[in-house]
């Protein structure tokens, strides 16, 4: 097992969950620690070729397949990994979240859960059925658990139960595991032996938009300012928010949004109360984790940095987050190789699983499967040899 225990990755994107699995035994909250390479993503597949190009740069040992999962035979997937059914230790992946995301609820087909991409959950089940891994990890947006998508979610759980995997699911907040981002995602995890998976306990806590009650005995949430410590990067003229809204955004205080410019607050009376989505003109609060990074934000959708910058004309404007800041908010290593175009980086990171959140789930599963020995005060010890 010189290459590490084998993992099959579906809907891989740029490789956030893949990186988490390969670094499952790395020191928590140390993005630069690669671990002992206990696990190895043998093959990864996605329909998005730019994302797979990013994955290839960061996972040179992984064989990647670019194509539609609906036309990919499981035997071909196993063959590319040089594996037989029953040999993969894990199948991991996050089917595209678009059908279940709140951002698409203005479309009738999404409100009624008729998006054809929802069938990709069934493709995930098919691959698990055909490859018979020891365990699986499926990640998606919290919206998958909403009543609107109950039929699809129940079918997923029923199918995995019928395969003997006893699936367990839970919505996890990334900030509760050391990620400087208030990002909620649902994880569905199952074991081939039928034992119930136990989710990892939070290591951090703090208040969020959902609750003001939290466990003060845990480590406080990592703030955006803490995440950006030590970063140095030159400003560029194309990163400020232009136009009238850029001027308004520059006046919004840290942690605020367009509501600052309503009759109820001290800014300009420009907008009706709750007339926009809350991320409109949103600024980071340096003393709080970031809000969720979006894959395809509009030009005036935040979060923007709490600091302003000057335009070539000398005007104050809000500034967009830089690539190294996006990496930090995703708890990715600073040297993660991203696309040259900022828009591609934003899309790929916005669709990815934050590293520390993924590590926590993968570490818990590999520990419960017997591949990692839990040690309370030091790095987990490996039970199998690489």
């Amino acid at each position: 097992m010189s290459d590490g225990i084998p993992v099959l990755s579906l809907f891989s994107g740029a490789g956030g969950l893949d990186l988490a699995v390969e670094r499952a035994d790395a020191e928590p909250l140390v993005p630069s620690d690669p671990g002992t390479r206990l696990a190895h993503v043998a093959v990864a597949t996605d329909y998005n070729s730019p994302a797979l190009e990013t994955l290839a740069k960061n996972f040179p040992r992984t064989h990647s397949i670019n194509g539609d999962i609906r036309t990919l035979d499981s035997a071909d997937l196993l063959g590319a990994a040089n594996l037989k059914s029953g040999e993969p230790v894990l199948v991991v992946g996050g089917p595209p979240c678009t059908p279940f995301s709140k951002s698409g609820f203005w479309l009738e087909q999404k409100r009624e859960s008729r998006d054809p991409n929802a069938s990709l959950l069934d493709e995930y089940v098919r691959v698990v059925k055909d490859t018979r891994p020891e365990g699986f990890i499926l990640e998606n947006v919290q919206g998958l658990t909403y009543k609107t998508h109950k039929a699809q979610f129940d079918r997923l759980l029923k199918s995995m139960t019928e395969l003997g995997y006893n699936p367990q699911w839970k919505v996890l907040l990334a900030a509760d595991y050391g990620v400087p981002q208030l990002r909620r995602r649902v994880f569905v995890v199952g074991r081939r032996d039928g034992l119930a998976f136990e989710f990892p306990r939070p290591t951090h806590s703090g208040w969020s938009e959902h609750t003001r009650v939290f466990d003060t005995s845990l480590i406080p949430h990592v703030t955006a300012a803490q995440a950006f410590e030590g970063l140095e990067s030159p400003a560029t003229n194309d990163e400020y928010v232009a136009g009238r809204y850029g001027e308004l955004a520059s006046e919004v205080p840290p942690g605020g949004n367009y509501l600052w410019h309503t009759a109820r607050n001290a800014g300009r009376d420009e907008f009706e109360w709750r007339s926009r989505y809350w991320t409109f003109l949103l600024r980071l609060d340096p003393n709080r984790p970031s809000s969720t990074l979006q894959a395809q934000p509009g030009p005036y959708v935040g979060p923007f940095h709490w600091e302003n910058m000057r335009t070539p004309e000398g005007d104050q404007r809000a500034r967009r987050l830089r690539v190294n800041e996006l990496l930090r908010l995703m708890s990715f290593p600073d040297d993660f190789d991203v696309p040259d175009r900022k828009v591609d980086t934003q899309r790929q990171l916005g669709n990815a699983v934050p590293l520390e959140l993924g590590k926590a789930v993968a570490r818990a599963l590999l520990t419960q499967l017997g591949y990692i020995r839990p040690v309370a005060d030091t790095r987990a010890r490996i039970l199998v040899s690489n």
Side-chain angles (χ1 to χ4, degrees), residues 102-157:
K102 290 189 297 184
S103 63
F105 265 43
W106 63 81
L107 298 176
E108 183 179 0
Q109 66 174 9
K110 290 187 178 180
R111 289 196 306 272
E112 298 179 0
S113 201
R114 292 188 285 110
D115 193 306
N117 287 330
S119 66
L120 296 177
L121 292 174
D122 299 321
E123 298 300 326
Y124 189 103
V125 172
R126 171 181 63 86
V127 173
V128 170
K129 178 181 179 181
D130 294 343
T131 61
R132 298 296 298 168
E134 290 186 43
F136 73 84
I137 300 173
L138 185 151
E139 176 269 349
N140 215 290
V141 294
Q142 184 179 2
L144 176 58
T145 67
Y146 293 170
K147 184 177 179 180
T148 307
H149 307 296
K150 179 175 173 39
Q152 284 90 341
F153 193 45
D154 285 350
R155 185 170 71 249
L156 168 69
L157 298 176

Side-chain angles (χ1 to χ4, degrees), residues 23-33 174-180 202-204 219-222 226 328 330-333 355-357 359-360 363:
R23 298 187 177 203
D25 70 309
E27 192 71 27
L29 305 181
V30 183
S32 61
D33 183 3
D176 287 348
Y177 297 89
V179 179
T203 54
H204 295 63
I219 304 169
H221 283 163
V222 179
Q226 289 173 324
R328 289 285 181 90
M330 292 295 293
S331 65
F332 273 43
L355 175 58
E356 291 301 328
L357 176 60
K359 276 170 58 178
R363 183 187 305 114

Side-chain angles (χ1 to χ4, degrees), residues 160-370:
M160 290 302 193
T161 299
E162 291 175 346
L163 294 178
Y165 279 87
N166 189 12
Q168 306 295 309
W169 69 272
K170 191 171 186 179
V171 174
L172 302 180
L173 178 63
D176 287 348
Y177 297 89
V179 179
Q181 189 179 161
L182 296 170
R183 187 185 190 100
R184 295 180 186 275
R185 289 296 184 269
V186 62
F187 284 81
V188 184
V189 185
R191 299 174 51 163
R192 188 176 64 196
D193 60 15
L195 297 179
F197 171 73
E198 296 182 10
F199 280 92
R201 295 179 179 178
T203 54
H204 295 63
S205 69
W207 65 270
S208 71
E209 70 277 16
H210 292 280
T211 179
R212 293 294 191 271
V213 178
F214 55 91
D215 188 346
T216 57
S217 69
L218 299 179
I219 304 169
H221 283 163
V222 179
T223 68
Q226 289 173 324
F228 294 168
E229 286 179 359
L231 284 183
E232 294 183 6
S233 58
T236 59
N237 290 333
D238 61 351
E239 67 184 11
Y240 65 84
V241 184
R244 171 68 169 166
Y245 288 150
E247 179 182 355
L248 291 174
S250 71
E251 299 171 3
V252 173
N257 62 4
Y258 78 97
L259 293 175
W260 177 253
H261 292 300
T262 64
R264 298 192 187 188
N265 281 312
R268 309 185 199 184
D269 188 3
E270 295 281 343
F271 305 104
E272 294 295 325
W273 185 258
R274 293 186 177 174
S275 61
R276 303 293 183 106
Y277 197 61
W278 76 281
T279 52
F280 188 65
L281 307 188
L282 179 66
R283 306 293 296 272
L284 281 179
D285 182 339
N287 299 313
R288 301 271 296 122
S290 170
S291 60
T292 298
L293 297 181
Q294 299 190 34
Q296 295 177 297
Y300 306 111
V301 171
F304 303 120
H305 202 280
W306 60 86
E307 293 180 347
N308 290 327
M309 65 176 298
R310 291 194 178 276
T311 68
E313 294 74 30
D315 299 321
Q316 290 276 357
R317 293 291 184 272
R319 80 162 175 87
R320 306 182 192 282
L321 296 176
R322 297 165 183 161
V323 169
N324 57 3
E325 293 166 342
L326 294 175
L327 287 170
R328 289 285 181 90
L329 293 180
M330 292 295 293
S331 65
F332 273 43
D334 289 341
D335 61 355
F336 192 81
D337 199 337
V338 296
D340 293 330
R341 293 204 317 154
K342 169 78 174 298
V343 65
D344 293 330
T345 297
Q346 177 92 35
R347 180 179 298 111
Q348 292 178 17
L349 292 181
N351 283 325
V353 177
L355 175 58
E356 291 301 328
L357 176 60
K359 276 170 58 178
V361 176
R363 183 187 305 114
L365 180 55
L366 289 174
T367 298
Q368 292 168 43
L369 289 176

